[in-house]
Amino acid sequence: DDDDDLVLAAAGGIRGGLMGSSQQLGGGLLVDLHASYLATSASVEASTTVFELAAASHLRMSGAYWGLCALSLIRKTNAMDINALVEWVASCQHSDSGGFGADTNHDAHILYTLSAVQILAIVDRMDAIDVKAAADYVAARQCADGSFTGDEWGERDTRFSYCAVSCLALLGRLDAIDVDAATTHVMSCMNFDGGFGCVPGGESHAGQVFTGVGALSIIDPQLRMLSEAQKRTMAAWLAERQTSKGGFNGRPEKLPDVCYSWWVLSALACLGKLHYIDGSKLRAFVLGCQNDERGGISDRPDDEADVYHTFFGIAGLSLLGLDTDVVDAVDARFALPEKVVERILLR
C-alpha cells in the first residue's frame, strides 16, 4: 500500500483501554533495540553521515520528530542529543516567512513547520524559535474557502488543514485563523462512505480520515459538528480497514501496513470507538513487524525497518493501551505524549 507519505502526526487524546496485557498476549516490544535504532537513525549527526538518511533530507524534520516522539513514548529521550537537535531545528526557521524547511536551506512548508513545533513541544524549548513568526506563517496559508496551502506554490490538502490547526493550537494561536471556515472546509471533504478525501470529492483514505477528525477534534474535542450517525459511519469505515492478518490498510483491497495502526486508531480514539476493532490481533501484527536483530519496525513482516513505521507502530501500541509497562500514553489528536500536551494546554 502506498503511504502517500502523509508526513504529519497527530490525533486525539482518548487512550484505548482494551483488555489484556503484554504477558497475556505473548512477546512484547523490543524497547532497548528500538531505542538504539532510533538514536542512530533519527539523530542530527546520522542525517549527515549516513547516505540513506542524507538522501532523505527532504523528510529530515519529520524524521527527527518521529524518532524523538517514539523515544519519548518508550521513555528513552536521553538517547538523543537534545541540545544539538534544538539548535538544528532553530536553524531551519526562515527569517523572512517564519516557516520551517525540512532541513537547512530547504523551502519552508507547513508540514515541516508542524514537525518543528512538535519537536520543541516535546523538549519544552519553544523559546528557541520566533513563535509569532511561525504562527504568522501558518495563518498566512489559509485561503478564502477555509482550506490551507502547504507552501507558497499553492497545493491544498486536508493534511495542511490538520497541520495548521495542530500547530497553532500548540503555539496557543488558534485565534490567528478563521476556525469556522477551516471547520467548514474539512467537513466538505467528508464522503458518503464515512471517509475523508484530500479535497472535496477526493477518494476516502485512512490517513485523510485522521487529518479530518484530528483537526476537528482539536477545534472541539467533543466533535459536536458531527452527528452520532456520522460518527458511527466513519467508525465502521475505519473498522473495515482491519485485514485478516490483524493489521490495517489505508483503502479497500490494499495490503495491511503498520503506519495505519496510527492513522486508523487515532481517528477511532477521537470518535470514542476503539472497541470497533480487534486490538489483540492488531498488536500481534505490529509486534510481528519488529526487527529483532537491529531494532526498528517495518511496514509489514520481513520488510526493512524505518523510523516512520517505528514511530507509528509504537504510537499505535500506545493507543491500544496493552503495553503500559513500557509505552507511555499518546494523545490521539496531536500525536504527542499526553504529558506533553497537558503541559502545553494547561499553561
Side-chain angles (χ1 to χ4, degrees):
D1 193 4
D2 57 335
D3 296 326
D4 297 330
D5 243 347
L6 295 170
V7 189
L8 51 89
I14 310 103
R15 189 156 186 262
L18 305 180
M19 298 301 291
S21 69
S22 305
Q23 292 72 25
Q24 292 171 326
L25 295 175
L29 189 67
L30 305 174
V31 173
D32 291 335
L33 272 178
H34 296 326
S36 176
Y37 169 79
L38 290 165
T40 301
S41 302
S43 69
V44 173
E45 297 80 8
S47 295
T48 58
T49 59
V50 179
F51 172 75
E52 292 85 354
L53 299 176
S57 62
H58 61 292
L59 296 175
R60 189 177 175 195
M61 186 67 74
S62 292
Y65 154 67
W66 297 328
L68 176 65
C69 196
L71 285 169
S72 181
L73 289 173
I74 59 176
R75 306 159 195 166
K76 300 286 186 178
T77 309
N78 58 0
M80 256 192 184
D81 184 338
I82 300 302
N83 289 331
L85 178 63
V86 170
E87 182 179 351
W88 169 73
V89 170
S91 74
C92 295
Q93 185 171 28
H94 286 238
S95 58
D96 54 347
S97 68
F100 288 78
D103 200 347
T104 53
N105 300 318
H106 282 235
D107 290 346
H109 197 287
I110 200 168
L111 290 171
Y112 308 118
T113 300
L114 173 61
S115 292
V117 168
Q118 287 170 318
I119 290 170
L120 298 175
I122 293 170
V123 299
D124 198 14
R125 285 298 312 276
M126 291 295 186
D127 62 292
I129 63 166
D130 187 334
V131 170
K132 182 182 182 303
D136 289 346
Y137 171 80
V138 173
R141 306 266 66 76
Q142 189 169 31
C143 304
D145 65 354
S147 64
F148 287 82
T149 61
D151 56 19
E152 62 182 300
W153 307 113
E155 179 189 8
R156 303 187 193 187
D157 189 317
T158 46
R159 288 178 301 161
F160 309 149
S161 296
Y162 171 80
C163 288
V165 170
S166 180
C167 190
L168 291 174
L170 292 171
L171 294 175
R173 287 296 315 280
L174 259 181
D175 60 340
I177 60 170
D178 186 335
V179 174
D180 290 340
T183 301
T184 299
H185 174 72
V186 170
M187 291 287 290
S188 73
C189 297
M190 183 167 57
N191 294 321
F192 71 92
D193 59 5
F196 280 78
C198 297
V199 295
E203 180 186 9
S204 292
H205 188 285
Q208 302 300 149
V209 176
F210 164 71
T211 63
V213 175
L216 295 176
S217 67
I218 291 172
I219 292 169
D220 177 9
Q222 303 304 314
L223 289 173
R224 283 168 289 198
M225 66 282 285
L226 296 174
S227 69
E228 287 305 313
Q230 287 174 317
K231 292 177 184 178
R232 288 193 297 271
T233 301
M234 202 176 298
W237 188 88
L238 290 165
E240 288 174 355
R241 305 279 61 76
Q242 188 161 33
T243 68
S244 60
K245 295 181 180 179
F248 295 128
N249 59 28
R251 294 174 289 165
E253 304 302 321
K254 293 292 186 175
L255 295 173
D257 185 319
V258 159
C259 70
Y260 295 113
S261 305
W262 172 258
W263 304 119
V264 172
L265 275 189
S266 57
L268 286 172
C270 292
L271 294 167
K273 307 290 187 186
L274 279 175
H275 58 286
Y276 274 41
I277 56 95
D278 187 329
S280 298
K281 287 186 68 175
L282 175 61
R283 179 180 182 273
F285 176 78
V286 174
L287 295 181
C289 295
Q290 298 182 103
N291 184 315
D292 59 7
E293 295 179 357
R294 299 190 305 275
I297 299 174
S298 58
D299 57 348
R300 284 178 284 277
D302 300 322
D303 282 353
E304 191 68 25
D306 59 68
V307 175
Y308 175 84
H309 289 93
T310 302
F311 167 56
F312 287 117
I314 291 172
L317 293 176
S318 176
L319 285 174
L320 286 175
L322 298 175
D323 295 88
T324 56
D325 54 330
V326 292
V327 183
D328 281 346
V330 68
D331 186 291
R333 296 164 299 169
F334 292 98
L336 290 170
E338 280 189 358
K339 59 188 178 184
V340 170
V341 176
E342 291 170 0
R343 166 172 36 87
I344 290 173
L345 298 188
L346 289 176
R347 274 183 176 160

